[in-house]
Amino acid sequence: MALVNPFSSLTSGDKQWVDHISKTLKKQLAINVDTPPLSIFQIPQILKDEKPEVYVPQRIGLGPNHHFQPELYQNMEQNKLTSVKRVLKSNKVQVSEDQVVDKVKEIIPIICACYDLYLDADDDTLAWLFTIDSLFFIDLLGAYIDQQVAIDAKDFIMLENQIPLIVLKEIQKVLSGSYDETQEDFWESKFGYFCKCHSPFILSKEKIDLVE
C-alpha cells in the first residue's frame, strides 16, 4: 500500500513518510556493494496507452510493475506457484521456500536500485514477489532449454516486465548449495541463449560485469 503523501495534508502522513524513507535509506547504505546500474525502466504512460500490446504484458506479469495486475494475477498466480513447487521438489539440494525468500530479502536494497521507480512496499512483500517470479522463470527457462518446451516469450522480453539477473543468481546459489564461476557461466549462458533467440535486437558479444 502506498504511503500517504505528506504534502497533501497539513496534519497527517509526514511522520510516517520520514520514518519510512529514513529506514529505507539506512538499509541501502548498509549494503556494502557497488550500486548496480539502472536496468529496468518505466515506459511513458502515453506510449502504453497507445500500444498496450507492445509495452504491457498480456499473460505473464513479472516483478513489481506487473505481478499484481488484476487479470494477470488471477490467470497466472496458480501457475507460478505450481512452478515454484516443481523447482523446489525436483531440486537435488533440499531447499525450503523460506530459505529462498530469506536470501532474496538480503539483497532487496540492491534489487530496488535496478529500477527507475521507487518500490514502495515492505521487504517481505518484495522478497516473496521476487522469489515466486524468479522460480517461475527458472522453471520455464529450464523447460525451454533442457526439454525444448515451447513458451510464449513475448511477455518475458518487455522492458518493464523484468527481474534483475542478480536475483536469479542469488536464488541459484541457494538451490545449488554452492556457487562457483563454472555455475555462473552456465547460468549466464542459459539466459544469454534465451535472450539471443527472442530479443528483437542484435546482442553485444561483450561480457557485461554484473553485481556480485
Side-chain angles (χ1 to χ4, degrees):
M1 179 180 295
L3 293 172
V4 175
N5 182 347
F7 301 105
S8 65
S9 170
L10 296 177
T11 59
S12 66
D14 51 346
K15 183 62 166 61
Q16 182 186 11
W17 180 83
V18 169
D19 290 344
H20 179 76
I21 208 71
S22 62
K23 182 179 179 181
T24 300
L25 181 58
K26 287 177 181 178
K27 286 182 179 179
Q28 295 189 4
L29 289 172
I31 299 296
N32 190 27
V33 297
D34 294 333
T35 302
L38 288 174
S39 56
I40 301 173
F41 299 89
Q42 286 281 91
I43 301 295
Q45 190 61 45
I46 188 172
L47 294 179
K48 290 190 284 188
D49 290 341
E50 288 180 357
K51 292 187 176 181
E53 71 280 2
V54 175
Y55 300 109
V56 180
Q58 303 300 301
R59 294 185 62 250
I60 300 170
L62 298 177
N65 286 308
H66 295 291
H67 183 106
F68 292 110
Q69 292 291 335
E71 185 175 352
L72 302 181
Y73 184 87
Q74 184 177 18
N75 293 337
M76 191 54 62
E77 194 69 6
Q78 184 55 55
N79 290 335
K80 289 182 178 181
L81 295 179
T82 299
S83 286
V84 170
K85 181 173 66 174
R86 182 161 47 237
V87 171
L88 294 179
K89 285 188 173 295
S90 64
N91 195 56
K92 294 180 180 179
V93 179
Q94 187 173 3
V95 175
S96 71
E97 67 278 10
D98 289 333
Q99 288 176 276
V100 182
V101 171
D102 288 344
K103 185 64 176 179
V104 173
K105 192 174 180 180
E106 291 176 6
I107 60 168
I108 288 298
I110 301 174
I111 297 171
C112 291
C114 295
Y115 289 82
D116 73 339
L117 79 161
Y118 179 61
L119 302 184
D120 188 10
D122 63 82
D123 287 359
D124 286 332
T125 299
L126 291 173
W128 274 99
L129 182 155
F130 282 109
T131 295
I132 291 171
D133 284 354
S134 298
L135 289 173
F136 171 70
F137 181 70
I138 288 172
D139 183 47
L140 262 62
L141 185 63
Y144 172 76
I145 294 177
D146 300 333
Q147 304 171 30
Q148 286 75 55
V149 174
I151 63 174
D152 184 358
K154 184 178 179 181
D155 284 348
F156 289 104
I157 61 174
M158 288 189 171
L159 187 60
E160 289 185 349
N161 203 39
Q162 301 292 315
I163 299 171
L165 184 57
I166 188 174
V167 185
L168 303 176
K169 292 172 67 176
E170 291 300 312
I171 288 178
Q172 189 62 33
K173 290 180 183 179
V174 180
L175 295 178
S176 63
S178 62
Y179 205 66
D180 55 33
E181 290 186 2
T182 302
Q183 290 175 311
E184 181 170 325
D185 291 341
F186 177 69
W187 170 249
E188 289 187 18
S189 68
K190 277 191 171 186
F191 187 68
Y193 175 77
F194 175 83
C195 293
K196 183 178 180 180
C197 290
H198 298 286
S199 174
F201 306 106
I202 298 176
L203 302 181
S204 172
K205 294 182 180 180
E206 181 180 354
K207 183 177 177 63
I208 300 174
D209 291 332
L210 299 168
V211 177
E212 298 298 334

